[in-house]
Amino acid sequence: MEPPPRLRRQGENVVCRLHKSLYGLKQASRNWFLTFSETIQKAGYEQSKADYSLFFKAQGTSFTAILVYVDDILLTGNDLHEIERLKSFLLKCFRIKDLGNLKYFLGIEFSRTHKGIFMSQRKYALDILQGSGLLGARQDKFPVEQNLKLTPTDGELLNDPTKYRRLVGRLIYLMVTRPDIVYFVRTLSQYMHETQKPHWDAAIRIPKYIKGTPGQGLLFSSCNNLTLKAFCDSDWGGCRATRRSVTGYCIFLGNSLISWKSKTQSKFQDRPPKQSIEQCESRLHERTKHIEIDCQIVREKLQAGMISPSYVPIHFQLADVFTKALGKDQFVTLRNKLGLHDIHSPT
């Protein structure tokens, strides 16, 4: 940063010392978050260890949570008195504006019904279609052909891979509310550096699928229990390039999907899931010492009754949609069981 014109002196090498972080500087967002963190913790809130942008306060049956993204703040809880007290406290410390009930946040739309809170990215999905020039294209019923396998050497290189990178980059953010496209977008993101025509042909089909369900999203039910259920699966060395497996999982709180992931394993898998379950319930031996610590933790939780692993047949395995390209019927069945809804579609 250069000094103002009237403060410049010929032959002197001077700089300005800032007493506050100015908007637009690289340090501004970090300093703002440090300031806010210190302030909110003085109000009795604790910073989450899993997500540092989340702060919460729990006293008895009262629970209040704050989620921060730069200068946008979400506030929720079951204690209206505490929420109003916190608003008054923040108003004394900062200049804030109460925008009322949550409706739109970071490109995500929220709707409230008697069934619960619905979260989708309908406007963002339509923007992707418009930006790709596919608003008038024919829609597809499912994202990719069954058993599609892409490799780094599939065909002719694209002359301009920018459009591919832009499309995949936008689809990555759409995965926030669309777990049904996670596996396909993860696969396509592996070919950003050397994009070929088969990669582009596979990528352009996903917006065509989204066109049929632009308002699809997640429903967090108001009538729910707090039981955790998790499904995990792998495709057993399905990557043609590395011969490594893809692991996928999804976690439900009651009937509401709260977490999911699809990821290529960093190591080769040495046994199928059914044998892994048996191993957690049996004794370890010398050949399994590399996973002894993980298995011991799982076994302790199993013996304490906190978890109960069981084998799930493939036709009922919800995590299957995160590990491979399925056929239309199986894909639609598993997608519906994930709890995806579209409140914009006609009933």
Side-chain angles (χ1 to χ4, degrees):
M1 179 178 178
E2 296 183 357
R6 294 186 179 181
L7 293 181
R8 295 177 184 172
R9 297 178 181 177
Q10 189 174 5
E12 291 185 354
N13 186 16
V14 295
V15 296
C16 291
R17 180 178 180 180
L18 296 179
H19 294 284
K20 63 183 299 185
S21 184
L22 298 180
Y23 183 82
L25 295 180
K26 292 187 296 184
Q27 302 89 343
S29 58
R30 180 178 182 272
N31 289 339
W32 151 248
F33 185 75
L34 290 175
T35 301
F36 181 84
S37 299
E38 294 173 357
T39 302
I40 200 65
Q41 290 181 67
K42 290 179 181 178
Y45 283 78
E46 182 179 348
Q47 190 173 29
S48 170
K49 304 301 181 184
D51 185 348
Y52 286 166
S53 61
L54 176 65
F55 301 84
F56 63 91
K57 181 178 182 180
Q59 290 182 337
T61 59
S62 173
F63 180 81
T64 310
I66 305 172
L67 185 64
V68 183
Y69 182 81
V70 191
D71 57 352
D72 293 323
I73 301 173
L74 289 183
L75 175 61
T76 186
N78 60 1
D79 189 341
L80 295 180
H81 176 73
E82 171 61 24
I83 291 176
E84 292 300 326
R85 187 196 72 82
L86 178 59
K87 287 181 181 179
S88 300
F89 174 79
L90 292 176
L91 186 59
K92 294 178 181 178
C93 301
F94 310 104
R95 288 186 297 175
I96 64 172
K97 183 178 180 180
D98 188 352
L99 300 179
N101 290 333
L102 178 63
K103 294 182 180 179
Y104 195 81
F105 184 74
L106 303 179
I108 304 174
E109 302 171 42
F110 296 85
S111 303
R112 295 174 180 267
T113 69
H114 66 282
K115 295 182 178 180
I117 299 178
F118 180 74
M119 185 173 72
S120 71
Q121 293 170 277
R122 183 174 183 270
K123 182 180 181 300
Y124 183 73
L126 294 175
D127 289 342
I128 293 177
L129 290 171
Q130 185 175 9
S132 304
L134 297 173
L135 281 175
R138 177 181 61 85
Q139 67 184 48
D140 285 317
K141 298 296 184 181
F142 58 112
V144 298
E145 293 292 341
Q146 186 175 7
N147 299 323
L148 175 69
K149 299 291 185 180
L150 298 175
T151 68
T153 57
D154 271 335
E156 181 183 356
L157 287 173
L158 291 182
N159 294 329
D160 182 15
T162 304
K163 58 181 181 179
Y164 178 88
R165 295 167 183 167
R166 183 184 301 113
L167 174 59
V168 175
R170 301 188 75 178
L171 290 173
I172 288 175
Y173 188 63
L174 187 62
M175 295 191 304
V176 173
T177 58
R178 296 295 298 263
D180 52 332
I181 65 171
V182 168
Y183 169 74
F184 315 107
V185 176
R186 182 206 63 82
T187 301
L188 294 172
S189 65
Q190 297 177 352
Y191 306 107
M192 295 285 209
H193 58 296
E194 288 188 354
T195 308
Q196 295 159 349
K197 190 176 185 303
H199 304 149
W200 170 250
D201 293 338
I204 206 66
R205 179 163 173 162
I206 298 181
K208 294 179 181 179
Y209 161 71
I210 293 171
K211 182 183 178 182
T213 56
Q216 192 163 261
L218 298 171
L219 177 65
F220 299 96
S221 177
S222 57
C223 301
N224 214 342
N225 56 56
L226 299 180
T227 302
L228 280 175
K229 296 182 296 183
F231 295 83
C232 183
D233 189 32
S234 93
D235 69 342
W236 196 251
C239 180
R240 291 173 59 185
T242 63
R243 277 307 174 198
R244 292 183 177 178
S245 301
V246 175
T247 295
Y249 69 79
C250 54
I251 302 175
F252 292 81
L253 182 62
N255 296 322
S256 300
L257 181 64
I258 59 173
S259 180
W260 57 87
K261 193 169 187 178
S262 176
K263 180 181 179 182
T264 302
Q265 294 181 1
S266 58
K267 299 180 180 179
F268 290 97
Q269 185 172 333
D270 58 354
R271 52 185 50 81
K274 191 171 183 179
Q275 292 183 19
S276 298
I277 294 174
E278 294 173 354
Q279 189 178 70
C280 290
E281 297 174 346
S282 63
R283 295 178 59 85
L284 296 173
H285 49 78
E286 183 66 21
R287 289 184 299 171
T288 61
K289 64 181 181 180
H290 61 290
I291 58 171
E292 182 175 356
I293 296 177
D294 292 338
C295 279
Q296 189 63 38
I297 293 174
V298 173
R299 182 176 298 145
E300 289 177 358
K301 304 302 180 183
L302 183 64
Q303 292 174 348
M306 298 180 64
I307 60 174
S308 177
S310 59
Y311 177 73
V312 180
I314 189 171
H315 295 292
F316 304 99
Q317 176 56 269
L318 302 188
D320 208 32
V321 75
F322 299 106
T323 61
K324 58 182 68 71
L326 303 173
K328 174 187 173 183
D329 294 338
Q330 181 71 355
F331 173 80
V332 173
T333 299
L334 295 182
R335 182 193 65 186
N336 295 338
K337 289 184 178 181
L338 287 175
L340 292 172
H341 300 270
D342 190 349
I343 63 174
H344 301 282
S345 63
T347 56

